[in-house]
Amino acid sequence: MARRPLPRILSSGSAHITRSREMARSAADSATDVLHPLITITRGLRLLAGAGRRKWAATPKDRRGPALFLVAALVLVVALVPYGPLLALISVMAVAGWQGRDRTPSRTGPDEAELQRLRSLYEALVPYFSLPEDPNPLFAHGGEWEKAFDEYEFDADGRLTRLRVSYPPYFMDGEHSSRVRIEHLMYAKSGRGREYLFDWDEEGNELVMSVLPPLPTGIAAQRFVTAPGETVLGFTDAGAVRRTVPVREGDETRDAPPVLWRTGARSTEPHLLAVGRPGSGTTSLLRSIALQALPHGDVVIVEGGGTGEYASLDGRTGVLAVERGLSGALAGLEWAANETERRLIAANRARQSGHAVPEDTKRPLWLLLDRPSAFAHVAAADGRPDPQELLHVPLRHGRAANVTVVVAEQFETLDALSETVRTHTRARVVLGAATREELESVLGAPPHTIPTPDIPTGRGYARLGTGPVLRLQVPATPDPYDDATSDAHRRAVLELLPDRHTPLHGSTAATTRAPEPGPEPAASAPPAPDPEPGPPAQPRSRHQRQSPAPVPAAVPAEG
């Protein structure tokens, strides 16, 4: 099915410039096709004129007079012969067309180096695609590789870019281990350092190996054209998804295929888990998600690493808290659990009474946790609960309450995640270098490609629920306060940040006001400017809570 691009809003001149360039390029290509005979004849006339000048320069001076007389006599004879000038013109045009033709030799097959590469690959596949009992083997030592390799393409360096392999029906292509052996062998023989896609056709007994182009890394954080409840995790290959969105890449605007994650009450994968190694880009992914969520919802950030990567979001409108310590993390997540219960109770009472769901339960609430396992040993040493235990209610009931949980963790501490987090985060992202076993353990299915050893920041794989494994490149969303950030990326992130609603006085939590009680639950208002900090809210127990708990006056800060 063809991809349907979304309608773009041409609010700047970059889209007009891009369209003008495309039209000019199309017009130039059409003109070249139409005027190709004229271009060929002109090139031939230029070559004939150059040959004539060289011939005249090589003629001795004592012979130039007779040569001129002979040429003049020929011109006179041609002029006097009936239809002579017309025949002469046709002859000159024919000679010019012959001389101006494209003389680049066309390749009819692979050269010697490419033939040797195909033969070596064929011989390497013989032990895997042959059996001693086969009377007419398709793969045999010294056999005809042309029968097994139906289609092949090479790049300018003589390395394979596409290969179609026919294998015998008795090969066990349904076993994952058998496929992995063939893929690793073809990857090693075809050239390392590139990412290959392996497409197995079990019905036709064919394997197509192709080299994938690198995903673009120049797409920075920006406002993406998405529907409510959709978040752009990154961008993937053109044929992997059915949809495109307009994006700015440098000074140009083009359509790119996104990996869209849908959240909300009708989402099948309401929570996400991102895994990677240090420097792989998981923090940039969480920062990108926060910038996309802030225009329509509220965000609570818990940073277990304590490196201050989210300092640019501290005190912004919609950011309820940025917690970097254990006390703040416990208080913020406890408030989130109480808020989830309050939303569920309010929505349930509204439905039982036949009223619409209160507006304050519809505004999305995002809980972004970066390395929550870092608090586990500190909590155990202080005799306090692990903050992950407070995620039980948001994870189980977050879909109905419009509460979304995003957890980012490293491979080294992946075992420290609780079973609740692992069970309810069915949308998965893996960034950075990882083995096939690690990818399969996190995503639940192996990718159809072999990743390269050198992976840029933000490159990896994504799988939403039981969907296919997609290649992913996260939009560049670095920390704008980092000195190593480029000016273009810094401006892109700063333009997306909301205004500050409260001055920062060393506090990592932004205060919010509770809605006024009334006959109907009121909509949750954005935090008021410069509020007075109140005392830490004391959550009630389940036995004391007789009515929907209001939003607490403040999320306590880490002392």
Side-chain angles (χ1 to χ4, degrees):
M1 181 180 295
R3 292 179 289 109
R4 297 172 294 179
L6 291 176
R8 65 176 64 179
I9 302 175
L10 301 178
S11 58
S12 62
S14 59
H16 295 283
I17 295 175
T18 303
R19 181 178 288 104
S20 301
R21 290 177 180 175
E22 294 176 355
M23 294 177 61
R25 189 179 296 108
S26 301
D29 295 340
S30 301
T32 302
D33 295 337
V34 173
L35 301 176
H36 184 266
L38 181 59
I39 295 173
T40 302
I41 293 175
T42 304
R43 188 189 305 118
L45 291 174
R46 187 173 64 252
L47 295 176
L48 291 176
R53 286 195 300 269
R54 291 191 299 270
K55 185 66 175 177
W56 179 258
T59 303
K61 292 183 178 181
D62 56 344
R63 295 183 181 181
R64 291 183 178 181
L68 287 175
F69 177 77
L70 180 60
V71 171
L74 290 176
V75 171
L76 180 61
V77 171
V78 170
L80 296 177
V81 172
Y83 303 104
L86 180 59
L87 294 175
L89 179 61
I90 294 175
S91 302
V92 171
M93 293 297 103
V95 174
W98 179 259
Q99 291 292 330
R101 72 187 187 280
D102 188 8
R103 302 185 180 185
T104 303
S106 59
R107 294 183 55 181
T108 58
D111 55 21
E112 188 61 30
E114 295 171 352
L115 284 174
Q116 181 61 32
R117 187 180 292 271
L118 291 174
R119 292 194 193 99
S120 63
L121 179 58
Y122 175 83
E123 294 291 335
L125 291 173
V126 168
Y128 302 95
F129 286 150
S130 64
L131 287 177
E133 297 82 6
D134 191 353
N136 187 18
L138 182 61
F139 285 81
H141 292 293
E144 299 178 2
W145 60 266
E146 295 87 350
K147 295 181 180 179
F149 298 161
D150 304 331
E151 180 184 346
Y152 47 84
E153 295 178 6
F154 293 88
D155 58 7
D157 298 331
R159 298 195 300 174
L160 279 168
T161 58
R162 180 179 175 83
L163 180 65
R164 183 187 298 273
V165 181
S166 297
Y167 55 87
Y170 51 76
F171 175 73
M172 295 179 291
D173 52 5
E175 296 183 0
H176 176 63
S177 58
S178 301
R179 290 189 179 192
V180 169
R181 287 195 298 267
I182 298 299
E183 292 175 2
H184 277 282
L185 174 62
M186 297 182 68
Y187 170 76
K189 292 294 184 180
S190 302
R192 301 179 184 273
R194 300 179 297 176
E195 193 163 359
Y196 294 87
L197 172 65
F198 296 93
D199 185 11
W200 291 84
D201 183 8
E202 299 180 6
E203 295 182 359
N205 297 323
E206 288 184 345
L207 168 63
V208 178
M209 181 195 70
S210 57
V211 177
L212 294 174
L215 295 176
T217 58
I219 302 178
Q222 55 193 278
R223 292 290 180 218
F224 300 111
V225 182
T226 57
E230 292 182 343
T231 303
V232 175
L233 298 179
F235 298 91
T236 184
D237 299 298
V241 293
R242 302 179 181 177
R243 180 173 165 183
T244 61
V245 295
V247 296
R248 295 192 313 272
E249 186 175 2
D251 297 332
E252 298 183 355
T253 301
R254 63 179 183 87
D255 292 332
V259 178
L260 292 176
W261 175 39
R262 293 174 177 85
T263 58
R266 292 179 174 85
S267 173
T268 57
E269 299 85 23
H271 309 296
L272 181 137
L273 173 63
V275 183
R277 288 184 168 82
S280 60
T282 54
T283 301
S284 296
L285 175 61
L286 262 64
R287 194 181 294 111
S288 174
I289 293 175
L291 293 178
Q292 297 181 61
L294 282 176
H296 311 288
D298 298 325
V299 176
V300 175
I301 301 175
V302 176
E303 183 184 359
T307 57
E309 291 283 346
Y310 303 93
S312 59
L313 295 168
D314 208 346
R316 302 284 179 174
T317 301
V319 180
L320 303 183
V322 179
E323 302 296 348
R324 303 180 182 90
L326 177 60
S327 299
L330 290 174
L333 295 180
E334 184 178 2
W335 173 85
N338 294 334
E339 172 66 7
T340 304
E341 293 180 354
R342 185 197 69 81
R343 292 186 176 201
L344 291 174
I345 295 174
N348 186 38
R349 289 186 174 181
R351 293 190 183 97
Q352 290 180 356
S353 59
H355 296 93
V357 177
E359 292 295 329
D360 62 339
T361 64
K362 295 181 180 180
R363 183 171 175 83
L365 175 62
W366 294 74
L367 305 179
L368 307 182
L369 294 87
D370 195 348
R371 294 188 62 192
S373 62
F375 295 116
H377 67 283
V378 180
D382 292 347
R384 301 160 76 176
D386 189 345
Q388 296 185 57
E389 299 178 3
L390 300 174
L391 293 175
H392 182 76
V393 174
L395 286 172
R396 291 194 61 183
H397 306 286
R399 175 173 24 208
N402 284 320
V403 178
T404 303
V405 179
V406 182
V407 179
E409 195 56 71
Q410 296 182 2
F411 274 109
E412 292 78 5
T413 55
L414 189 58
D415 296 337
L417 290 180
S418 64
E419 187 65 25
T420 303
V421 174
R422 291 171 172 270
T423 303
H424 292 88
T425 52
R426 299 180 66 250
R428 301 291 179 89
V429 172
V430 177
L431 300 180
T435 62
R436 292 180 66 95
E437 292 75 14
E438 292 174 337
L439 291 172
E440 186 174 1
S441 64
V442 176
L443 301 176
H448 296 288
T449 64
I450 296 181
T452 58
D454 299 329
I455 297 180
T457 302
R459 178 72 56 80
Y461 296 91
R463 190 187 186 206
L464 305 179
T466 58
V469 179
L470 303 175
R471 289 204 305 166
L472 179 71
Q473 177 62 52
V474 177
T477 317
D479 182 8
Y481 296 162
D482 189 358
D483 296 336
T485 303
S486 63
D487 293 337
H489 290 169
R490 179 181 292 107
R491 289 195 302 268
V493 175
L494 292 177
E495 289 176 359
L496 299 178
L497 289 174
D499 297 333
R500 294 191 183 276
H501 64 82
T502 180
L504 300 179
H505 300 292
S507 174
T508 61
T511 58
T512 57
R513 293 183 178 178
E516 295 294 334
E520 294 184 1
S524 59
D530 300 332
E532 293 295 333
Q538 298 295 333
R540 299 179 179 180
S541 65
R542 297 180 181 269
H543 301 285
Q544 295 173 340
R545 191 181 301 127
Q546 301 296 333
S547 61
V551 180
V555 178
E558 174 67 14

